[in-house]
């Protein structure tokens, strides 16, 4: 009995072993069928692969999963050619895998813990590991795609957007004098135009940078450039000063997103060995924008004939034509961006594997065709995508109306941007954020502060020279005389003018003090910076003049008549070379950046970002002491060119370091925050340095040199990113 029981037991055990071996052999056959089908897929086009994926791949893999689920022992052999996490080995083609299939396979294979049962810390740990793996793999993929026609096409498209940012900065300074005169802006309100644009750029940099990490680089850049182009174009037609400020505010808000988005976008399609050099070349477009604005201002604004008017209510002068021309780079970039794809690195970050694979294949094929190697195949089959963590969003119950839905959507996006910004102060990027904040603030404060101080000092020297040449006439008596010529830079005090005619005249910087005008006629008069102080007019006629009430200070009128008084302020650059001089100075200062740009681009990857950043800032601080010798206009212009040429290397290296120190999910947000801080420091520098013009040289020199040297020393403490892959 005992022996029969043992025989029966051994028989059952043998039957189980046989069944187990049958299952193992069946799994091996299924795997061979899968490999054979996959080898066949590599010879098909991508379109055919999509058509046949549902018919073949699902069926084969379904059989595979069924076999794996039946036996744990068979699963180890059934996954031959795969690792423990069911990751595909390099070179094993899978087409564009369906992300849903991968999840099902994981459940069937090892029955891992589902994501909904994991806490957020575990999910973030897994995502961080995925991001590190993706960073290494993406660098290899970009190297396989090569550097060629696609990168150069994107280079020029993004360069136009960066050029528009440079134009926006210079437009304000060039338009301000003409706009103040055209709109009769008092001195108390003249400073608002420059400040309002920087305020818009500051808010825009933070907002559009954060949005680029939420909706994509291309999408964010398209919207912000469209906003800039629309309001810049509209500002050229508005007449009121308040509406003009409103348009320039939103124009600055739009262009504020250009710098953080452009550098984030372009850095994500560059290989490690190309990134520093080509990002530095991209910086040249900002300089080109400054040169373009200076040249257009020089060619357009002084031509008063380029204008028309509709009565006294609507004036369209040459500076408005200049504003339209300066919007052309922005419009060009918007049109060209519509033909560019989204950043594949961003798409992988948000889990859109298929779209990223197609764009990377497009980059590879475009570059290979340009090299004359169209037969070269894109060998990448599957790319690691980080684990996606769903954000819990509280939606109010009352969202039935469209405006409530819009409000909830906007609030949600803003809250998401704020959360991304706060992550810039989390480990391990917290220390880098603090150091970069110091470097960005000090460089911007010193650069923009002195950039405003230089032209103001030159203008102050010019005004002193102009004031020293003023002609003063006292106690003159003129009767029965016809004035039909230009009066310029004169002061007439205690004079008497009887039966005189002032016809077809121009008054430029002319002041009459304590004078008497009796039985006189003023006809067809144009005046600039002309005033009558404590004067008396008796039986005097004014016809077609621009003598408005504010030009008569404490003056008396006895039996006087006014006909056809022009209410608008008049602009005229005839025989006035100061405007040309201002544009020429800015043109030279911008052109001086060219040598520094070339040097920084060629040496960025050779001597390193930190050496370039720290050395440039320290040398710029030392060069400030040469300002002691700036006693003439020509010497100040030379100092301006030297200073701009030295600081540009610091700006280029700082842009490169910033995009390389942050991971993809917060790269544009952090860049936008630092760029917004840059604009705030620029406004502060303008206020402080501008208030010191004509007072002392010591404080601006010591202040600028101190902040630049300190910022450069802090910059040397940043980590070297020259050999790092893009996180």
């Amino acid at each position: 009995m005992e022996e029969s029981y043992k025989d029966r037991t051994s028989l059952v055990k043998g039957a189980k072993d046989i069944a187990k071996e049958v299952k193992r052999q069946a799994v091996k056959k299924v795997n061979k069928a899968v490999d054979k089908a996959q080898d066949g897929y590599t010879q098909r086009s991508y379109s055919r692969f999509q058509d046949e994926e549902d018919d073949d791949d699902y069926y084969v893999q379904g059989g595979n999963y069924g076999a794996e689920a039946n036996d744990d022992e068979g699963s180890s052999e059934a996954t031959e050619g795969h690792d423990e996490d069911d990751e595909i080995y390099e070179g094993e083609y899978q087409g564009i895998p369906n992300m849903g299939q991968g999840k099902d396979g994981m459940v069937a294979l090892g029955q891992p813990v589902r994501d909904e049962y994991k806490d957020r810390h575990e999910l973030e740990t897994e995502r961080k590991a995925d991001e590190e793996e993706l960073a290494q793999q993406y660098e290899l993929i970009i190297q396989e795609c090569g550097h060629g026609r696609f990168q150069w096409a994107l280079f020029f498209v993004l360069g136009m957007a960066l050029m528009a940012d440079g134009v926006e900065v210079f437009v304000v300074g060039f338009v301000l004098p003409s706009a103040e005169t055209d709109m009769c802006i008092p001195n108390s309100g003249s400073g608002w135009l420059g400040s309002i644009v920087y305020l818009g750029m500051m808010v825009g940099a933070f907002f559009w940078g954060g949005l680029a990490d939420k909706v994509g680089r291309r999408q964010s850049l398209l919207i912000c450039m469209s906003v800039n182009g629309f309001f810049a174009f509209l500002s050229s037609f508005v007449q009121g000063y308040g509406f003009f400020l409103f348009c320039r505010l939103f124009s600055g808000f739009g262009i504020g997103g250009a710098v953080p988005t452009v550098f984030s976008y372009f850095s994500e399609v560059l290989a490690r060995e190309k990134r520093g050099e080509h990002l530095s070349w991209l910086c040249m477009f900002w300089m080109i924008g400054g040169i373009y604005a200076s040249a257009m201002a020089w060619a357009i604004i002084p031509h008063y004939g380029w204008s028309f008017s509709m009565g006294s209510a609507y004036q369209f002068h040459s500076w408005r034509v200049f504003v339209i021309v300066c919007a052309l780079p922005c419009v060009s970039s918007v049109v060209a961006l519509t033909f560019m794809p989204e950043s594949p690195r961003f798409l992988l970050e948000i889990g859109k594997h298929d779209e990223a694979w197609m764009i990377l294949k497009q980059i590879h094929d475009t570059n290979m065709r340009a090299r004359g190697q169209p037969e070269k195949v894109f060998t990448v089959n599957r790319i690691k995508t980080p684990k996606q963590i769903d954000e819990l969003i509280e939606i109010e119950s009352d969202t039935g109306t469209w405006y409530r839905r819009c409000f909830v959507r906007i609030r949600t996006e803003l809250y998401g941007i704020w959360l991304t910004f706060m992550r810039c102060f989390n480990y391990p990027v917290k220390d880098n954020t603090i150091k970069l904040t110091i470097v960005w603030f000090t460089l911007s404060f010193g650069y923009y502060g002195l950039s405003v101080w230089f032209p103001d000092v030159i203008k102050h020297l010019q005004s002193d020279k102009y004031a020293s040449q003023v002609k003063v006439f006292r106690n003159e008596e003129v009767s029965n005389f016809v004035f039909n010529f230009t009066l310029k830079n004169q002061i007439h005090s205690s004079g008497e003018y009887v039966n005189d005619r002032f016809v077809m005249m121009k008054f430029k910087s002319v002041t009459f003090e304590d004078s008497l005008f009796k039985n006189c006629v003023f006809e067809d008069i144009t005046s600039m910076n002309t005033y009558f102080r404590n004067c008396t007019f008796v039986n005097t006629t004014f016809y077609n003049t621009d003598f408005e009430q504010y030009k008569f200070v404490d003056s008396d009128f006895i039996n006087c008549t006014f006909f056809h008084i022009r209410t608008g302020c008049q602009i005229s650059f005839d025989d006035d070379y100061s405007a040309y001089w201002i544009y020429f100075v800015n043109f030279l200062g911008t052109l001086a950046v060219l040598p520094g740009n070339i040097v920084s681009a060629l040496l960025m990857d050779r001597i390193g970002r930190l050496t370039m950043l720290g050395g440039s800032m320290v040398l710029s601080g030392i060069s400030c002491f040469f300002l002691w010798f700036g006693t003439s206009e020509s010497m100040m212009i030379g100092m301006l060119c030297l200073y701009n040429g030295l600081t540009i290397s610091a700006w280029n290296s700082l842009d490169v370091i910033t995009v390389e120190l942050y991971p993809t999910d917060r790269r544009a947000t952090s860049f936008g925050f630092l760029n917004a801080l840059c604009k705030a420091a620029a406004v502060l520098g303008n206020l402080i340095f501008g208030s010191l013009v004509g007072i002392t040289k010591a404080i601006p020199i010591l202040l600028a040199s101190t902040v630049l040297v300190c910022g450069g020393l802090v910059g040397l403490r940043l980590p070297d990113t020259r050999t790092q892959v893009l996180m």
Side-chain angles (χ1 to χ4, degrees):
M1 191 72 182
E2 227 172 87
E3 291 179 359
S4 63
Y5 177 76
K6 289 180 180 178
D7 293 339
R8 191 180 309 155
T9 304
S10 62
L11 182 63
V12 171
K13 185 177 180 181
K16 288 183 178 180
D17 292 340
I18 293 172
K20 193 176 296 185
E21 183 66 26
V22 170
K23 292 178 182 178
R24 186 179 294 111
Q25 295 298 327
V27 168
K28 289 183 177 180
K29 290 181 180 180
V30 170
N31 286 336
K32 289 180 180 179
V34 172
D35 295 336
K36 186 176 181 180
Q38 291 169 349
D39 293 338
Y41 290 159
T42 60
Q43 301 173 1
R44 301 173 188 170
S45 64
Y46 174 67
S47 60
R48 186 176 177 186
F49 171 79
Q50 280 188 319
D51 296 335
E52 297 180 3
E53 185 179 18
D54 294 336
D55 299 333
D56 298 333
D57 190 56
Y58 275 58
Y59 176 78
V60 174
Q61 292 196 17
N64 189 11
Y65 292 159
E68 292 168 350
N70 286 335
D71 190 24
D72 294 336
E73 292 181 16
S75 64
S76 61
E77 297 185 14
T79 56
E80 253 181 341
H82 300 67
D83 60 17
E84 294 180 356
D85 295 328
D86 200 31
E87 294 298 329
I88 309 302
Y89 289 150
E90 184 177 358
E92 183 179 352
Y93 184 75
Q94 293 296 315
I96 297 182
N98 188 299
M99 302 309 292
Q101 294 178 8
K103 292 180 181 179
D104 295 340
M106 288 179 63
V107 174
L109 265 174
Q111 294 293 336
V113 179
R114 297 173 65 89
D115 288 348
E116 53 263 34
Y117 299 115
K118 298 179 182 179
D119 60 21
R120 188 172 184 86
H121 179 71
E122 290 178 312
L123 294 174
E124 290 179 347
T125 303
E126 293 181 17
R127 178 178 174 86
K128 183 178 180 181
D130 292 343
E131 288 174 341
E132 292 176 354
E133 182 179 344
L134 171 60
Q136 302 294 332
Q137 185 185 9
Y138 188 79
E139 179 64 31
L140 297 176
I141 294 173
I142 289 296
Q143 290 178 3
E144 179 179 343
C145 292
H147 188 91
R149 177 179 294 174
F150 179 86
Q151 280 85 356
W152 284 112
L154 186 62
F155 173 80
F156 286 105
V157 172
L158 298 180
M160 294 299 293
L162 201 59
M163 179 180 172
D165 181 82
V167 168
E168 186 73 19
V169 172
F170 284 91
V171 162
V172 177
F174 294 155
V175 163
L176 188 58
S178 302
E180 289 175 350
T181 306
D182 189 17
M183 299 180 180
C184 302
I185 303 170
N187 292 332
S188 59
S190 60
W192 277 102
L193 182 56
S195 301
I196 206 75
V197 173
Y198 277 100
L199 176 63
M201 296 175 74
M202 180 175 63
V203 178
F206 182 80
F207 175 78
W208 298 113
L211 195 66
D213 283 333
K214 303 291 289 183
V215 303
R217 283 74 165 108
R218 174 181 175 273
Q219 187 79 0
S220 176
L221 190 59
L222 267 174
I223 299 174
C224 75
M225 297 304 294
S226 300
V227 170
N228 170 251
F230 173 77
F231 283 100
F233 185 80
L234 183 62
S235 67
S236 66
F237 294 96
V238 300
Q239 296 295 303
Y241 184 55
F243 198 16
F244 183 76
L245 284 178
F246 174 82
C247 291
R248 297 316 301 186
L249 170 66
F250 277 88
S251 176
F253 173 74
I255 201 61
V259 172
T261 310
V262 161
F263 282 101
S264 300
Y265 193 172
F266 195 51
S267 66
E268 292 169 356
V269 295
L270 295 173
R272 176 175 51 195
E273 64 272 8
K274 299 284 186 181
R275 196 159 50 237
E277 178 184 352
H278 287 269
L279 285 175
S280 298
W281 289 123
L282 185 65
C283 294
M284 289 188 65
F285 280 94
W286 197 93
M287 175 205 69
I288 295 173
I291 294 176
Y292 174 82
S294 302
M296 291 299 101
W298 195 1
I300 296 175
I301 295 181
H303 293 278
Y304 182 67
W306 294 19
S307 62
F308 66 89
S309 60
M310 297 180 182
S312 61
Y314 189 86
Q315 305 285 332
F316 194 91
H317 295 300
S318 56
W319 68 268
R320 299 180 183 272
V321 179
F322 168 71
V323 172
I324 295 177
V325 172
C326 285
L328 295 181
C330 176
V331 175
S332 302
S333 66
V334 170
V335 174
L337 269 172
T338 58
F339 299 96
M340 291 290 111
E342 180 57 82
S343 166
R345 185 68 177 84
F346 168 78
L347 293 175
L348 289 171
E349 191 70 25
I350 62 175
K352 294 186 177 181
H353 177 278
D354 295 4
E355 293 90 333
W357 188 91
M358 288 296 296
I359 293 172
L360 288 169
K361 186 177 185 301
Q362 175 189 350
I363 296 173
H364 175 274
D365 294 345
T366 301
N367 292 338
M368 293 305 111
R369 283 195 301 268
R371 294 180 183 180
Q373 300 174 330
E375 72 282 355
K376 202 165 186 180
V377 179
F378 184 53
T379 60
V380 177
N381 303 318
R382 173 175 288 187
I383 310 172
K384 185 69 176 179
T385 54
K387 181 178 289 295
Q388 302 302 304
I389 303 176
D390 296 331
E391 297 288 345
L392 296 178
I393 301 172
E394 181 181 356
I395 303 294
E396 298 181 10
S397 58
D398 185 18
T399 56
T401 58
W402 66 269
Y403 58 87
R404 290 291 299 173
R405 289 194 296 270
C406 291
F407 173 75
V408 171
R409 178 64 183 272
I410 293 173
R411 187 183 64 180
T412 303
E413 292 295 336
L414 292 177
Y415 182 67
I417 292 173
W418 177 256
L419 289 180
T420 305
F421 165 66
M422 294 305 297
R423 290 173 58 207
C424 296
F425 293 90
N426 294 342
Y427 179 82
V429 297
K430 178 181 178 180
D431 291 342
N432 295 336
T433 301
I434 295 174
K435 293 174 184 176
L436 283 173
T437 299
I438 297 173
V439 176
W440 273 89
F441 184 87
T442 54
L443 180 58
S444 179
F445 181 83
Y447 175 78
Y448 285 103
L450 281 185
S451 296
V452 170
W453 188 73
F454 274 117
D456 285 348
V457 169
I458 294 174
K459 289 169 61 177
H460 183 72
L461 293 173
Q462 287 181 335
S463 61
D464 288 346
K465 182 179 178 181
Y466 189 79
S468 65
Q469 297 174 349
V470 64
K471 297 179 181 179
V472 181
F473 301 88
R474 301 182 185 276
N475 301 317
E476 60 179 353
E477 297 181 2
V478 182
S479 301
N480 301 310
F481 187 79
V482 177
F483 293 86
N484 55 2
F485 46 86
T486 299
L487 296 182
K488 180 179 179 181
N489 196 20
Q490 299 178 3
I491 297 177
H492 298 264
S493 180
S494 302
E496 291 187 7
Y497 305 90
V498 181
N499 295 324
D500 293 328
R501 292 176 59 86
F502 299 83
V503 182
M504 300 291 292
M505 288 189 60
K506 293 182 179 179
F507 292 90
K508 295 183 179 181
S509 300
V510 179
T511 301
F512 292 91
E513 299 176 345
D514 303 316
S515 298
L516 172 65
F517 295 87
K518 186 175 182 181
N519 299 325
C520 295
V521 176
F522 291 86
E523 184 176 356
D524 297 326
I525 304 297
T526 301
S527 63
M528 294 180 62
N529 196 26
T530 297
Y531 300 94
F532 297 89
R533 303 182 186 277
N534 197 27
C535 296
T536 303
F537 297 87
V538 180
N539 297 325
T540 300
T541 302
F542 298 88
Y543 179 82
N544 194 27
T545 68
D546 61 357
F547 291 156
E548 296 186 61
Q549 186 175 0
Y550 73 92
K551 294 186 177 183
F552 299 98
V553 181
D554 297 328
S555 298
D556 298 324
F557 299 91
I558 302 174
N559 197 24
C560 297
T561 54
F562 292 84
F563 299 98
H564 302 291
I565 302 301
R566 297 194 298 271
T567 57
C569 300
Q570 306 300 312
I571 301 178
S572 176
F573 289 92
D574 296 340
D575 303 323
D576 185 4
Y577 298 101
S578 60
Y580 291 99
W581 183 251
I582 293 172
Y583 307 144
F584 182 66
V585 168
N586 282 276
F587 177 81
L588 289 179
T590 309
L591 192 62
V593 171
L594 180 60
N597 252 316
I598 296 175
V599 170
S600 64
L602 296 177
L603 300 181
M604 185 68 70
D605 290 319
R606 290 179 172 85
I607 68 175
R609 290 90 159 108
L610 300 185
T611 305
M612 184 78 68
L613 174 63
S616 176
M617 291 186 69
V618 171
L619 288 176
S620 300
I622 295 175
S623 70
C624 293
F625 288 98
F626 288 100
L627 296 176
W628 288 108
F629 307 102
T631 56
S632 63
E633 297 176 19
S634 57
M635 293 186 67
M636 291 301 298
I637 293 174
M639 296 297 103
L640 173 64
C641 294
L642 175 64
Y643 180 73
N644 287 351
L646 290 173
T647 53
I648 191 61
S649 298
W651 282 114
N652 292 357
S653 54
L654 188 58
D655 291 334
V656 176
I657 291 173
T658 302
V659 297
E660 291 179 337
L661 278 179
Y662 289 95
T664 304
D665 60 348
R666 69 199 89 162
R667 179 172 296 120
T669 302
S670 57
F671 206 124
F673 159 68
L674 294 170
N675 199 252
L677 184 71
C678 165
K679 299 301 184 291
V683 173
L684 183 62
N686 291 348
L687 294 175
I688 294 177
F689 284 84
S691 62
L692 299 174
V693 174
I695 300 176
T696 178
K697 283 185 179 181
I699 296 179
I701 291 173
L702 293 175
L703 186 59
S705 60
T706 301
V707 297
L708 288 172
V709 171
C710 291
L713 295 177
V714 173
L716 291 173
R717 305 289 296 174
L718 289 166
D720 190 6
T721 58
R722 182 170 33 166
T723 59
Q724 293 182 4
V725 297
L726 206 62
M727 290 193 296

